[in-house]
Amino acid sequence: MSLTNAPEVDQPEEPTNRPAPSYRIREWLSRPYARHFLVLFIIFTVVIMPAAWLVLHFMNQSGAPASAIMTDIETTIFVFTFVSAPLMAVALAILMYSLLGRDWGGRVHGEEPPMQESPAIRTNSLGVILWITATSLLAGFLVIWGLVELASITAGSYGSVPTNQQPSAVKPIDINVTGAQWVWNFQYPDQQGLQSDTLVVPNNTPLYFNVTSVDVIHSFWVVELGIKIDANPGAVTNIGVTPNKLGTFNIRCAELCGMHHAYMQTKIQVVSQADFDNWVRVMGGAKTS
Amino acid sequence: MSVMTRDIHEQAAVPQPTQHGKPGGFLRHTNIFTGVITGLVLAIITYAIGSKLVPWGTQNATFQQVGYQALIAATYVAWVIGFMAGIGAFAGPIRWVLGHDLTHADAEYMAGKGQGKFRYWKYTTDHKVVGIQYLIMTLVLFGLGGFLAMLIRTELGITWAEVFTPNFYNSMIGTHGIVMIIAMIIVISGPLGNFIMPLMIGARDMAFPRLNALSFWLLFAAVPPLVSNLLLGGIRDGWTVYEPLGSQSPVGMIGYQICIIVFAFSTGIASVNLITTAFTMRARGMSWNRVPIFVVGILSAAIMGLVWFPMFQYSQILALSDRMLATSFFNPLMGGSVWLYENLFWLLGHPEVYVVIIPGTAALIELMTVFLRKPLFSYKMAIAGFVGVTGISSIVWVHHMYMTGWAPSAGYPFMLSTELISIPFGFLVLVMLGTMWRGKPWTRLPMMAVYAVIWNKIIGGITGVYLSDVPVDQYMHGSMFVVAHFHFMLMGAGLFAAIGAIAYWFPKMTGRMLNERIASIGFWVAFFAFQLTFMSMFVAGLQGMPRRVLQFDNAFNVSNWLSTIGAYCIGIGMVIFLFAVITSWRNGKPAPANPWGAKTLEWQTSTPVPLENFPVLPVVTSDPYGYGVPDPYDSVEKKMAEADQPVGAGAR
């Protein structure tokens, strides 16, 4: 028999006077300020959460989402608003309680410093630990959500993979976008270099933009499709998107580019494949390969 | 004989410098007027001589006359040097070279002893005078920036016509932006950092009194070149003045660049001074565990400013060089990179946001303990928050460049760092909420500012989390949403905090009580109008309105009309507040030494503060947050712990 197999002697536990956690929680909940705070917290959470829908309502006013990327973006905003609501509610509940609460809150008016002092709470380990844990978890959730979503929309917009290497079933249409003070110019190299100042694209077909500028920095923003990339002089930047909704949407310049920046906008028409082929023929290009 | 006594005797035997002439010497003859006149005269002479010398016809790559640009730059430099010479900034070095060291009488003259109100117009070294000078300067800058804001909102509110020419409009948004940024950077660290911080740590003055005067008057010299840009064709490029659009702007841009270069020196000098003061001049017994939290906030802001402001300065030096010497740092036609400028700019650009917000937050944390009669909740979390924000702020700048196409992969790490910064920032929120927890607020204006600021900070913080996320930023970047977000942070959390802080320290700084009735009306009008203005702007941004435009789709009309109405009301509120400040300052009720019953050192000396602050330097034995009574619920818990069995319900 080795020593390791010796039966362990149970040490008697130190007797403790600390009440059980469940009792402590019940005791805390019996305090008026705690109850009032919790009620306010729940009310504020419920009141704030619908803001998530309100935000989407404003974003969708001009026809968005018109692509899977835009849908991803809207989902992200919706989720962020939703998970921020409890945190915002905590802060608002404390603010509101401190201003209006009768038992521990309650305002003091007057010219002289109030004689009645408040409880001298220097710190509260549990509160600090809870707060750090909650905010860290929230931040961690947002970071992970963001990273995954970024990877997803980068894949959706082909990142910086050239058109001819893309594994997509449908070959993307290359479009060269050139910003100049203060117009956008679109060139379709696959359609015999057809040029246009409005963008006409077929629905459900991947698009791949090569964006550059001839003078200053512009920013190519297709609003309802949720894509944006700067047009830099001396460099070509890329972004891709697949529109999934027929209609006419907005292209705006999102980087101050001089005098007529405000007017540097045009339209994108998402049309059916037949209409697109027709448009290409009318404009003098060749049929889509 | 102890060593101590011998040292004292030896010190007494040190030969004192001899007095040459009257105390103050050359500085007796200089003031702001001689400074301005010398500066203008030197500028005019430089322009007159220069215009005969430079080759006018030469043009650079952007078809602007190189000679003319050099001439304008030389004129601005002449103004700065002439002004600084005229106000006596060079008197000290010259005396040092001549061997006429400052005597005690000289130092007292420079601190403004016996000069009455006139000392505010001079190169005065007293930190209290510099603080007041900064305060006035800030108010003037806010007035200017606010006026431009009203003009901008007028243009955006009148949706059916162009009120201003596009170029002038672009210059206005740029000037509004940079003037407000400068004002916000100095609004706490300048007036309160200089006036209050040395008092708070129990010092007789700042560590470097003459550098203190230098930092203020450099700022004073830097502002006219900036404002003059509106007369010289403007900076048609927003406050970020991205290249190469910046090179297309006319010579007004040189005023901007000179201003930033000089202002960076001013900030650097002021930061060094604040840091040294906080580290070396604290009263006996004021260990780092007993320092008022406001000092820590000022310290973090000063460190961020000192470390990162040179980046902005370099970006402007290089841009000026591109413009005048045809170098090509940022000119892509000749191998430069537009992304280099953006990186240099945002390396300051983001820490700058925290330079603005941190001191205001610290001031509010400081004052809310007084009005809640509660100790600061978790002092150490507050320190951790300041340290964390100061540290992480240096690695988040690329989140302004997600959509530039520069290194799309950089989005991943910088999204991570940007969202991580919300954790230390959350510490500060915890400290504020914890201090507020179960406190009875004494509802004076400074305390009400705390409520206002926490609300604004929540909105600004949550929208900031949206923007830190690359996919969301792909929609939001460059839209009005961004504008609304940073106004919530800089104005909502920064300026409203500054209003609260100034209202709190007003009695100490001016010796008079602020008329809170009128000031509160102004404050609340501005606050609610602020919500209207920028909430509508969020809506415009969500609908897809780009920023920095003067005409837009009819879809954005309603939100812009509301925004404009709100902006006018902010203006009215601010004017009311300013009226309260001015009338109270002129003939308000004289303030007692400690009207709030606060425990920090600045309230323990008399009002108005004597020249050397404290008759006897204080000794500190505890931190200044000894408010409050023992928590009654603590005794309940103690009883529970002491009893053999848990006590029953009915804790009260």
Side-chain angles (χ1 to χ4, degrees), chain B residues 605-620:
Chain B
T605 185
S606 55
T607 301
V609 185
L611 180 62
E612 293 195 324
N613 296 353
F614 300 94
V616 178
L617 282 181
V619 176
V620 178

Side-chain angles (χ1 to χ4, degrees), chain B residues 42-60:
Chain B
L42 200 60
I44 291 168
I45 291 175
T46 309
Y47 188 86
I49 295 177
S51 57
K52 303 283 179 232
L53 294 179
V54 295
W56 279 77
T58 337
Q59 288 181 335
N60 70 0

Side-chain angles (χ1 to χ4, degrees), chain A residues 155-236:
Chain A
S157 63
Y158 311 112
S160 49
V161 186
T163 327
N164 53 11
Q165 291 171 16
Q166 280 153 10
S168 168
V170 189
K171 187 183 176 301
I173 300 181
D174 246 327
I175 300 172
N176 297 337
V177 180
T178 308
Q181 284 174 325
W182 293 275
V183 287
W184 291 109
N185 187 299
F186 306 104
Q187 190 201 15
Y188 296 70
D190 295 341
Q191 279 73 24
Q192 291 188 340
L194 157 61
Q195 291 202 16
S196 167
D197 60 356
T198 57
L199 199 50
V200 179
V201 294
N203 197 10
N204 288 322
T205 307
L207 310 172
Y208 191 70
F209 299 102
N210 307 301
V211 184
T212 189
S213 161
V214 294
D215 35 46
V216 299
I217 304 172
H218 305 275
S219 193
F220 176 63
W221 182 18
V222 189
V223 180
E224 288 80 2
L225 273 64
I227 57 166
K228 180 183 290 147
I229 192 81
D230 276 8
N232 297 287
V236 177

Side-chain angles (χ1 to χ4, degrees), chain A residues 17 23 27 61 81 98 108-110 117-118 120 122 131 142-143 146 181 217 226 228 230 232 252 258 261 263, chain B residues 162 170 248 342 372 378 403-404 419 426 441-443 451 466 474-475 477 543-544 551 553 623 628-629 641 647 651:
Chain A
N17 290 326
Y23 174 76
E27 193 277 323
Q61 275 188 340
T81 316
S98 142
V108 186
H109 302 278
E117 306 240 325
S118 303
R122 285 272 174 172
W131 179 272
L142 295 178
V143 167
Q181 284 174 325
I217 304 172
K228 180 183 290 147
D230 276 8
N232 297 287
R252 302 201 174 98
H261 164 60
Y263 304 101
Chain B
E162 277 184 7
N170 288 349
Q248 291 185 356
E342 294 174 17
L372 288 156
S378 197
M403 295 306 129
T404 55
E419 287 180 3
W442 178 23
T443 54
Y451 292 96
Y466 290 179
Q474 183 158 314
Y475 186 81
H477 177 85
Q543 290 172 324
Q551 284 289 296
D553 267 17
D623 75 5
V629 293
V647 291

Side-chain angles (χ1 to χ4, degrees), chain A residues 17-20 23-24 27-28 30-34 37 54-55 58-59 61-62 69-70 73 76-77 80-81 84-85 88 90-92 94-95 97-99 102-114 116-124 127-128 131-132 135-136 139 142-147 149-151 153-154 181 214-217 219 221 223-224 226-230 232-235 237 239 250 252-263 265 267, chain B residues 162 166-167 170 173 236-238 242-245 248 332 338-339 342 372-379 381 403-405 411-412 415-416 419 422-423 426-427 429-430 433 436-444 448 451 454-455 458-459 462 465-466 469-479 539 541-553 556 589 595-597 623 625-633 636-637 640-644 646-649 651-652:
Chain A
N17 290 326
R18 290 180 71 79
Y23 174 76
R24 286 167 64 88
E27 193 277 323
W28 189 75
S30 74
R31 301 178 182 184
Y33 68 85
F37 163 72
L54 195 64
V55 167
F58 287 125
M59 289 182 77
Q61 275 188 340
S62 54
I69 289 180
M70 187 64 180
I73 292 173
T76 306
I77 294 179
F80 278 21
T81 316
S84 310
M88 185 169 176
V90 169
L92 289 186
I94 294 177
L95 248 63
Y97 182 70
S98 142
L99 271 177
R102 291 233 178 79
D103 37 16
W104 272 104
R107 288 158 290 174
V108 186
H109 302 278
E111 291 288 307
E112 291 299 312
Q116 191 180 7
E117 306 240 325
S118 303
I121 306 169
R122 285 272 174 172
T123 185
N124 181 330
V128 169
W131 179 272
I132 296 180
T135 52
S136 303
L142 295 178
V143 167
I144 291 167
W145 178 283
L147 293 176
E149 200 75 345
L150 174 57
I153 71 160
T154 307
Q181 284 174 325
V214 294
D215 35 46
V216 299
I217 304 172
S219 193
W221 182 18
V223 180
E224 288 80 2
I227 57 166
K228 180 183 290 147
I229 192 81
D230 276 8
N232 297 287
T237 49
I239 198 160
N250 294 296
R252 302 201 174 98
C253 176
E255 185 63 64
L256 179 57
C257 56
M259 186 161 60
H260 292 311
H261 164 60
Y263 304 101
Q265 44 182 308
K267 297 285 180 193
Chain B
E162 277 184 7
N167 276 336
N170 288 349
I173 57 174
R236 303 168 177 179
D237 200 4
Y242 273 5
E243 295 292 330
L245 180 56
Q248 291 185 356
V338 295
W339 291 322
E342 294 174 17
L372 288 156
R373 314 309 293 179
K374 275 190 79 200
L376 187 63
F377 181 80
S378 197
Y379 181 86
M381 288 294 281
M403 295 306 129
T404 55
Y412 294 92
M415 174 159 55
L416 179 71
E419 287 180 3
S422 65
I423 296 176
F427 293 176
V429 177
L430 170 69
L433 294 179
M436 198 170 272
W437 181 246
R438 294 171 59 198
K440 291 191 208 310
W442 178 23
T443 54
R444 303 295 292 268
M448 301 319 284
Y451 292 96
I454 292 182
W455 165 262
I458 295 169
I459 306 286
I462 289 176
V465 171
Y466 290 179
D469 186 85
V470 185
V472 178
D473 194 50
Q474 183 158 314
Y475 186 81
M476 306 289 196
H477 177 85
S479 77
V539 172
L542 288 169
Q543 290 172 324
M545 176 176 168
R547 64 190 284 202
R548 294 165 169 163
V549 296
L550 81 170
Q551 284 289 296
F552 38 82
D553 267 17
F556 313 129
K589 209 172 67 176
W596 315 117
D623 75 5
Y625 303 117
Y627 306 103
V629 293
D631 185 358
Y633 284 102
V636 173
E637 286 194 352
M640 291 194 303
E642 281 164 3
D644 287 333
V647 291
R652 272 188 114 171

Side-chain angles (χ1 to χ4, degrees), chain A residues 13-77:
Chain A
E13 276 188 17
E14 286 289 313
T16 170
N17 290 326
R18 290 180 71 79
S22 64
Y23 174 76
R24 286 167 64 88
I25 292 173
R26 265 187 290 126
E27 193 277 323
W28 189 75
L29 287 176
S30 74
R31 301 178 182 184
Y33 68 85
R35 290 179 170 185
H36 291 170
F37 163 72
L38 285 177
V39 169
L40 283 173
F41 166 69
I42 293 165
I43 293 176
F44 277 121
T45 311
V46 172
V47 168
I48 295 164
M49 278 186 167
W53 282 279
L54 195 64
V55 167
L56 291 201
H57 165 75
F58 287 125
M59 289 182 77
N60 288 342
Q61 275 188 340
S62 54
S67 74
I69 289 180
M70 187 64 180
T71 311
D72 278 0
I73 292 173
E74 293 193 348
T75 312
T76 306
I77 294 179

Side-chain angles (χ1 to χ4, degrees), chain B residues 402-537:
Chain B
Y402 286 153
M403 295 306 129
T404 55
W406 178 78
S409 314
Y412 294 92
F414 281 93
M415 174 159 55
L416 179 71
S417 61
T418 307
E419 287 180 3
L420 284 189
I421 207 171
S422 65
I423 296 176
F425 205 80
F427 293 176
L428 300 177
V429 177
L430 170 69
V431 171
M432 296 183 99
L433 294 179
T435 310
M436 198 170 272
W437 181 246
R438 294 171 59 198
K440 291 191 208 310
W442 178 23
T443 54
R444 303 295 292 268
L445 178 59
M447 185 62 208
M448 301 319 284
V450 175
Y451 292 96
V453 166
I454 292 182
W455 165 262
N456 287 340
K457 209 177 265 178
I458 295 169
I459 306 286
I462 289 176
T463 51
V465 171
Y466 290 179
L467 294 171
S468 72
D469 186 85
V470 185
V472 178
D473 194 50
Q474 183 158 314
Y475 186 81
M476 306 289 196
H477 177 85
S479 77
M480 280 308 223
F481 193 89
V482 177
V483 181
H485 158 71
F486 71 68
H487 277 89
F488 258 94
M489 279 325 249
L490 296 183
M491 184 177 177
L495 181 58
F496 282 94
I499 289 179
I502 288 170
Y504 175 60
W505 278 295
F506 190 84
K508 187 53 73 178
M509 293 179 78
T510 64
R512 292 177 186 278
M513 297 302 290
L514 182 64
N515 183 339
E516 275 185 37
R517 261 180 78 87
I518 302 177
S520 296
I521 294 173
F523 180 84
W524 288 116
V525 168
F527 176 78
F528 286 107
F530 174 83
Q531 306 302 322
L532 174 66
T533 309
F534 292 101
M535 289 290 182
S536 318
M537 208 177 273

Side-chain angles (χ1 to χ4, degrees), chain B residues 332-355:
Chain B
L333 296 178
M334 296 164 74
S337 166
V338 295
W339 291 322
L340 175 63
Y341 179 88
E342 294 174 17
N343 273 294
L344 284 174
F345 183 87
W346 289 115
L347 272 166
L348 165 78
H350 201 79
E352 177 270 325
V353 175
Y354 295 104
V355 173

